[in-house]
Amino acid sequence: MAANPVHTAPSPAVTTAHRSPSSLDYYLVLPRPDDPDPPSGVAGLVVEEFTREHDHVSTGLDSAGWTPTAGWWSSAALSRSIRTDPDTSARVVPTSRVEAEGHYRRLGGGQLPDDTELRSYFLVHQPIPTAAPLRLGPAQPPAGWHERRVYRVLFAKDLRPDQVTSLRASWRTPVDATGASAASGHLEKGGDRFDWELRRVAHTRAWALDVTVLLVAAADGAVGSTLSDLTTVLRQHGLIPVTTERFS
């Protein structure tokens, strides 16, 4: 991973998107297989954050990488390669902030900076093209509901069979469930209903989480948190989020 030195100028503002107060994703970077003097276990960290429209669709991605020798650096190419280059993605493992703090300290970085300081290292923004939602399904929600939405969260990397089994158990997927989905679940939150299915897409090269939302009222506060929670579960199983799209 090539390192671009961090400058002091802030990244350009994204006027049509917003960030939640704490929505950073952390990744461990493993040593290169051909490194003649590989560090022990972990070579560095990557911190990322998606920018989103107010309906929770992804509009861009910021990232910063850190290694003991190069310090903090930012590159849009890094975010792309994590998702498109198999050699790079094989060396990037989703993790939690707590675990990232431990590795950062052991690698000599000291105290991992807080969210505000980490965001100051996001200098090269990677835009994600967006379009008006496609209409999949009926234009009107079912009787008794205010609005129907369909989201798709795309993921890179792959899941092992045991990880799929773990997801099915966690989401209480019916044992006799059939169809194209590998795992599914549903949730009711504040009167809103969420149904989701995880399936392979792009000729089995990627995974997609399709989430159907039925809102009981105009307020959609539960949508963002639910999409975030589901994405976190899949990150914990090793997948890397690529984008969140809306289809209706």
Side-chain angles (χ1 to χ4, degrees):
M1 299 180 186
N4 292 343
V6 170
H7 305 289
T8 56
S11 56
V14 182
T15 57
T16 61
H18 72 283
R19 306 178 190 273
S20 61
S22 181
S23 56
L24 303 184
D25 292 333
Y26 298 86
Y27 298 89
L28 305 179
V29 181
L30 307 181
R32 294 181 181 275
D34 59 352
D35 192 331
D37 186 23
S40 177
V42 174
L45 304 177
V46 171
V47 182
E48 293 188 333
E49 184 176 34
F50 285 94
T51 53
R52 304 183 186 277
E53 292 284 3
H54 291 288
D55 66 351
H56 316 293
V57 170
S58 303
T59 59
L61 180 60
D62 293 299
S63 69
W66 178 87
T67 61
T69 54
W72 288 102
W73 50 277
S74 181
S75 170
L78 172 62
S79 296
R80 291 194 298 271
S81 64
I82 286 173
R83 291 157 175 83
T84 59
D85 178 63
D87 292 335
T88 302
S89 63
R91 297 175 51 226
V92 176
V93 180
T95 191
S96 65
R97 178 178 172 94
V98 171
E99 188 173 354
E101 286 176 329
H103 286 287
Y104 188 74
R105 189 180 306 110
R106 283 190 288 273
L107 290 169
Q111 181 66 36
L112 185 66
D114 62 18
D115 289 2
T116 299
E117 183 174 345
L118 288 173
R119 287 186 176 110
S120 73
Y121 304 139
F122 294 160
L123 304 180
V124 186
H125 184 69
Q126 173 64 44
I128 297 176
T130 60
L134 298 172
R135 175 60 61 183
L136 296 180
Q140 297 300 320
W145 299 96
H146 173 78
E147 185 181 359
R148 176 183 180 272
R149 299 182 185 179
V150 178
Y151 289 91
R152 168 167 284 186
V153 188
L154 288 172
F155 294 88
K157 297 195 75 166
D158 203 358
L159 292 170
R160 301 188 307 270
D162 64 296
Q163 292 173 316
V164 174
T165 299
S166 173
L167 284 168
R168 290 176 64 90
S170 175
W171 289 343
R172 300 181 180 177
T173 303
V175 295
D176 59 347
T178 59
S181 65
S184 62
H186 70 273
L187 172 71
E188 292 189 7
K189 183 184 293 187
D192 300 328
R193 180 178 175 89
F194 299 84
D195 294 274
W196 60 87
E197 293 186 324
L198 179 70
R199 53 171 54 90
R200 288 182 177 273
V201 294
H203 303 289
T204 74
R205 292 194 300 270
W207 288 89
L209 182 72
D210 292 334
V211 184
T212 299
V213 182
L214 293 176
L215 297 176
V216 72
D220 68 349
V223 175
S225 62
T226 302
L227 290 173
S228 177
D229 290 346
L230 291 170
T231 300
T232 296
V233 169
L234 291 172
R235 286 187 71 255
Q236 291 170 344
H237 283 74
L239 295 183
I240 297 177
V242 176
T243 187
T244 301
E245 304 169 322
R246 182 179 169 188
F247 291 99
S248 63

